[in-house]
Amino acid sequence: MFVSTALLAALCLSEESSTAWRQSELIEPSALAKALDSSDPPYVVCVSDSAPYRTRHIAQAIFAGPGGKPEGIDLLKAAASVFSKDDNVVIYCGCCPLNKCPNVRPAYTALKESGFTHVRVLDVMTNLGSEWYGRGYPSESGVK
């Protein structure tokens, strides 16, 4: 039993690291908040379920569906179709710590496989409530 559990854990870790982003592709919440206030803000794309987005989301964020589901990836690709492949794009979910998020990794992979060259991931260590809203960074309520 222990051997099979250890093997399964190793396979999961191996799969995660093969699709992981580079450290340079992470963006801290404070850096994103500053970038949103710049003359050339990035496109911000929410890849969570719709309920959190409808309740409250990062200002200027576009909803693209849950990245962990095929229909969410389809919505993401449709939303990203209006971007240039070299536009700055930041994706986030924020439901849980980034390393446990079921939505960000598939969304990131889909964008990279589609040829987007400047994709960054919002580095959420706990959740969006404490690391974005709790710090007073720009947010909006409701659906755009």
Side-chain angles (χ1 to χ4, degrees):
M1 175 80 170
F2 174 75
V3 172
S4 63
T5 303
L7 181 59
L8 181 59
L11 287 172
C12 288
L13 288 174
S14 159
E15 180 180 325
E16 284 185 14
S17 64
S18 69
T19 60
W21 41 82
R22 295 184 308 257
Q23 185 68 28
S24 63
E25 293 173 309
L26 292 174
I27 184 169
E28 294 296 320
S30 60
L32 178 57
K34 185 176 181 178
L36 289 176
D37 197 31
S38 73
S39 61
D40 187 26
Y43 288 102
V44 179
V45 182
C46 177
V47 296
S48 72
D49 289 317
S50 63
Y53 179 85
R54 285 192 315 263
T55 303
R56 192 171 184 190
H57 55 269
I58 292 175
Q60 305 171 29
I62 300 163
F63 178 69
K69 297 179 181 173
E71 60 272 18
I73 295 298
D74 291 342
L75 288 169
L76 173 63
K77 289 178 179 179
S81 69
V82 301
F83 307 157
S84 170
K85 299 289 185 183
D86 63 346
D87 279 338
N88 287 316
V89 178
V90 175
I91 60 172
Y92 79 94
C93 177
C95 68
C96 59
L98 181 59
N99 64 348
K100 297 178 189 251
C101 182
N103 295 309
V104 173
R105 191 173 306 281
Y108 169 85
T109 300
L111 288 173
K112 292 302 271 189
E113 287 175 351
S114 295
F116 288 89
T117 57
H118 295 99
V119 179
R120 289 180 293 167
V121 176
L122 184 61
D123 195 4
V124 176
M125 300 305 291
T126 328
N127 61 54
L128 209 57
S130 63
E131 294 178 53
W132 189 269
Y133 309 131
R135 293 181 181 166
Y137 296 141
S139 64
E140 302 170 334
S141 297
V143 178
K144 289 167 113 177

